Amino acid sequence: MTENPGREADLLGRVPDGLLIGGRWRPASDGATFTVHDPSDGSVVKEIASATAADGTAALDAAAEAFPAWAATPARERAEVLRRAFDLLQERADDVALLMTVEMGKPLAESRGEVAYGGEFLRWFSEQATHVQGRYGANPEGTGRMIVSQHPVGPCFLITPWNFPLAMATRKIAPALAAGCTVVVKPASLTPLTTLFFAQLLLDAGVPAGVVNVVTTKRTGPVSEAILSDPRLRKLSFTGSTEVGQQLLAQAAPGVLRTSMELGGNAPFVVFDDADLDTAVDGAIAAKFRNIGQACTAANRFLVHRSVADEFARRVTERVTAFRTGRGTEEGVTIGPLIDDRAVSKAADLVDDAVSRGARVLTGGTRLDRPGSFYAATVLADVRPGSALLREEIFGPVLAIVPFDDEDEAVRLANDTEYGLVSYVFTENLARGQRMVERLETGMMGLNVGVVSNAAAPFGGWKHSGLGREGGAEGIHEYLQTKYTLTPDPFA
Ligand code: NAD
């Protein structure tokens, strides 16, 4: 069921269905295709090319061939191409947002938010492109001059997940291009259409042939292995699960590839008894239910001081029961489907496990009896230690509350995970907030806010949540390598 089937059909007709290699769209070399589905009802959205390993190598051929000229292109010109892409994205924002909702399921308003967020990486890195600097100076002995310069690392392989189909692509492509690198992008096979549409936008913005290549495929392992084992590849940037990231790190080792890894999370959301509860509840709704809970930054464990736990639970439950579930294109829908039935089963299993260990269901706790991959927005109170959802990423609309008694216990529980992507803390006590900044093992922190993402900030995790940073002044350096040159003292 669609709000405007004619508009969707027209848009889907304009999405390329091939591989982008060397500036041309073409079918897979063996003609294979796969289908993309709408998670709100399981219907087929579009059929697109499924690359072979040879197609992956052909895409790397194109990236390697285009690299010298792109690396030599003045930074100002690279910046202007990215800026044109930013402008074109604003013009095509409604199309990109609708496409994301159709293939991924999030409500249209959230897709529009992702277009704004994802677009900012194009603008930010167009600005950063012209600010890459070296340095020149005497060595401490005074016997020579040291020159330090920055150079693009070379052709890059960028692998993106399905949960933010646009922003995870722009967060990698924009800094790579700004630095002078060329890329092969492999989007998730569940949500490739946004990347295909965006790649055409990049061509329209003036990105030269071969600078951005896209391989969609159902044969991920062989395609990825062919690219990773090729000595011309110099860098792998991956966003996805920690498990796949670990495998890819092993595959990147023989080539001693530069790697950036944006992996899983298990974010604690800590509410102290001195928190402003209205602020904490607003933060909780954003941190938990944005993207239907399918964000690496989603709050996974709500650690709430025992004295305010019941009131916090009552208020979030009131908000959650007012959500409207449905296809993301429908007016007023706040919760869409999960990405697929596997995700629904995972949420159901985690909730059942927590309930069997003594958690109380305040709302939800069930699959929805309708077509599509829907799970009810859920609030669980009194989640017991040992429950699987305290260790694993839930990746669904399930808010799990665990009471604590003092600050030390909150810190111990918050850090009790192998992940360290983001943490949220709500307190009106400044010194306590500062102590939490110092004590939490986390790459990012929201202090009295529930969403931290910003193109100008260094996004990334500690521990098993990853390596490297995307965005911020740091982001472009993931795609640059340093050269140090010594020359004699010119006065000697
Ligand atoms: P995933 O690891 O299953 O897949 C991510 C990408 O890797 C997809 O393109 C997939 O096709 C590809 N892939 C899978 N197996 C591969 C293999 N053997 N070789 C090469 N590529 C392979 O993750 P997902 O389910 O798409 O995304 C959800 C995960 O991503 C969650 O764990 C989430 O926390 C994480 N994530 C992290 C960030 C971050 O910035 N830290 C952002 C978004 C998502």
Side-chain angles (χ1 to χ4, degrees), residues 458-480:
F459 189 106
W462 288 12
K463 303 198 279 188
H464 287 196
S465 289
L467 298 169
R469 292 294 179 271
E470 291 190 321
E474 291 83 350
I476 196 166
H477 286 278
E478 300 281 319
Y479 297 90
L480 291 167

Side-chain angles (χ1 to χ4, degrees), residues 117 157-164 168 171-172 186-191 217 220-225 228 236 238-245 247-248 251 261-266 291 294-298 339 342 346 393 395 419 421 444 459-461 465-466 470:
Y117 172 56
F157 186 26
L158 314 179
I159 304 179
T160 56
W162 51 264
N163 59 345
F164 292 100
M168 298 303 97
R171 209 162 80 172
K172 298 184 190 304
K186 196 212 78 63
S189 54
L190 289 165
T191 59
T217 188
T220 301
V223 170
S224 155
E225 278 158 35
L228 286 171
L236 165 67
F238 170 77
T239 296
S241 59
T242 295
E243 194 185 356
V244 173
Q247 286 171 30
L248 290 172
Q251 289 177 26
M261 293 278 146
E262 295 288 351
L263 308 178
N266 180 1
N291 229 39
Q294 303 165 115
C296 53
T297 50
I339 188 66
R342 241 170 29 136
K346 182 179 176 193
E393 250 185 322
F395 243 57
Y419 296 104
L421 188 61
M444 300 180 285
F459 189 106
S465 289
E470 291 190 321

Side-chain angles (χ1 to χ4, degrees), residues 175-462:
L177 268 53
C181 296
T182 55
V183 303
V184 176
V185 186
K186 196 212 78 63
S189 54
L190 289 165
T191 59
L193 303 182
T194 304
T195 305
L196 294 171
F197 193 75
F198 176 65
Q200 180 59 50
L201 182 154
L202 290 175
L203 295 179
D204 297 345
V207 171
V211 170
V212 173
N213 305 277
V214 180
V215 286
T216 51
T217 188
K218 268 287 194 189
R219 295 172 275 199
T220 301
V223 170
S224 155
E225 278 158 35
I227 296 173
L228 286 171
S229 61
D230 192 306
R232 295 169 300 173
L233 185 73
R234 292 312 319 139
K235 158 104 196 175
L236 165 67
S237 177
F238 170 77
T239 296
S241 59
T242 295
E243 194 185 356
V244 173
Q246 287 164 330
Q247 286 171 30
L248 290 172
L249 278 171
Q251 289 177 26
V256 194
L257 295 179
R258 286 279 295 274
T259 56
S260 300
M261 293 278 146
E262 295 288 351
L263 308 178
N266 180 1
F269 187 106
V270 185
V271 182
F272 284 102
D273 49 355
D274 53 25
D276 177 319
L277 270 199
D278 287 335
T279 306
V281 168
D282 284 347
I285 297 298
K288 181 71 249 183
F289 294 101
R290 191 170 70 109
N291 229 39
I292 317 130
Q294 303 165 115
C296 53
T297 50
N300 213 56
R301 299 167 293 148
F302 286 78
L303 311 176
V304 185
H305 191 272
R306 198 175 298 279
S307 67
V308 293
D310 284 346
E311 180 59 12
F312 176 81
R314 190 188 66 72
R315 292 200 207 179
V316 289
T317 303
E318 195 176 290
R319 294 278 290 272
V320 169
T321 49
F323 285 164
R324 202 171 138 219
T325 305
R327 191 178 197 247
T329 49
E330 290 163 18
E331 191 66 32
V333 160
T334 44
I335 292 277
L338 292 181
I339 188 66
D340 59 15
D341 289 343
R342 241 170 29 136
V344 175
S345 299
K346 182 179 176 193
D349 289 350
L350 288 172
V351 169
D352 293 349
D353 168 76
V355 171
S356 76
R357 292 168 193 271
R360 287 184 295 126
V361 179
L362 301 186
T363 184
T366 53
R367 296 160 196 259
L368 293 187
D369 185 19
R370 54 174 291 167
S373 305
F374 288 92
Y375 191 83
T378 297
V379 179
L380 300 179
D382 294 327
V383 172
R384 303 276 196 257
S387 300
L389 53 64
L390 300 179
R391 287 190 311 276
E392 290 178 36
E393 250 185 322
I394 302 170
F395 243 57
V398 178
L399 191 157
I401 299 172
V402 179
F404 70 84
D405 289 303
D406 62 34
E407 190 176 309
D408 284 345
E409 186 187 7
V411 169
R412 187 179 55 72
L413 291 173
N415 287 339
D416 185 19
T417 167
E418 74 263 29
Y419 296 104
L421 188 61
V422 61
S423 304
Y424 304 94
V425 172
F426 286 75
T427 175
E428 294 293 294
N429 179 327
L430 179 61
R432 168 172 276 158
Q434 287 176 305
R435 285 196 297 277
M436 295 301 280
V437 170
E438 296 196 16
R439 297 180 77 186
L440 294 187
E441 297 164 358
T442 186
M444 300 180 285
M445 185 157 156
L447 187 52
N448 293 321
V449 294
V451 177
V452 298
S453 304
N454 191 301
F459 189 106
W462 288 12

